[in-house]
Amino acid sequence: MKRTRGDEQGARRERPRSEVEESRRDRRSPPPLAGEGREGGKAPQAPPREVRLYGLNACLAAFAKRPEALRKVYLTEARIPALKPVLAWCVKHRLGYRIVEEADLDKLTASRHHEGVCFDLLRAPPVDLARWLATLPPKPAPSLLLWLDGVGNPHNLGALLRSAAHFGVDGVIVPADAGLDVSGAAARVAEGAAEVVPLVQAASASDALTALHSRGYALAATVPRDGVSLYATPLPQRLVLVFGAEGEGMSAALIEAADLRLTIPGSGAIESLNVAASVAVLLGECWRQSQASHIR
């Protein structure tokens, strides 16, 4: 790796070189930061206040929405043209960036899917359910939410966030004690959607249900069997779709509290789709029905 321009700009300000020229000096590797991968093992946890983000679209989306959260940038030389605005921000705000090799990014991210860029940035603050609900359009305006009960796989989370952004979901509700967060892997799979669809924490499931019902939302549990067919059911305009973890499914209490239970019909060759695929199918049908209602 090479030294950061942020590390050298004070000492070498008298030398009028461009930021790219300065960044190309000295290929010595720096010591790993907290949360960086090390050869032979998994990447340690990032500091609680920071997250290590990677993937070009994920990083650009985070920078576009929260540039002030940026703390450090690692990129390959090939990514310099695509990240010029980010590098200019780093220079202006005295933030470090480093031009690195692909192998270095493999270690920093503990992944080969970094796409030539990695950001260290502050985590977005938790979103409180009650305050967030107050920002949404009141009933009877259409609104679509997701509720994840036990879903924890980062790739599934990233994929369903991407579907949620595509189909205009207002937000994704998760239990506050589940520890579910948008990791670097989830953000990369989401391709920028993690900055579009908020992840909202619910401290109490019963309080969340009360708040949602009071604002005119119906709750639909997605179940592999014994539900009504998705394609034969008119869906409410204000709807919360609840999805459970694969294998365990959602809690019995949430199923019991649901206003309707939906099943995706299929061949029966397998019991069900994985959660990310189920989300995409359900949201696609919600979109189709909403568009059809506009036409009528």
Side-chain angles (χ1 to χ4, degrees), residues 72-96:
K72 195 139 193 176
V73 175
Y74 303 89
L75 70 157
T76 60
E77 196 161 343
R79 283 302 186 198
I80 290 173
L83 294 166
K84 280 185 177 180
V86 178
L87 301 184
W89 174 275
C90 290
V91 172
K92 180 178 179 181
H93 295 274
R94 297 179 178 271
L95 296 176

Side-chain angles (χ1 to χ4, degrees), residues 244-289:
E246 291 184 52
E248 301 170 2
M250 72 187 69
S251 69
L254 273 179
I255 296 176
E256 182 66 26
D259 300 291
L260 66 156
R261 301 174 189 179
L262 297 173
T263 296
I264 301 172
S267 67
I270 57 171
E271 183 178 46
S272 64
L273 300 170
N274 86 345
V275 66
S278 295
V279 167
V281 171
L282 265 292
L283 294 183
E285 177 61 13
C286 289
W287 180 269
R288 186 196 68 79
Q289 290 194 22

Side-chain angles (χ1 to χ4, degrees), residues 189-230:
V189 175
E191 291 283 351
E195 301 296 331
V196 177
V197 182
L199 206 62
V200 184
Q201 294 187 353
S204 162
S206 60
D207 289 348
L209 285 169
T210 300
L212 290 165
H213 280 139
S214 70
R215 295 185 63 84
Y217 286 95
L219 200 73
T222 58
V223 293
R225 67 187 77 84
D226 300 328
V228 296
S229 169
L230 168 66

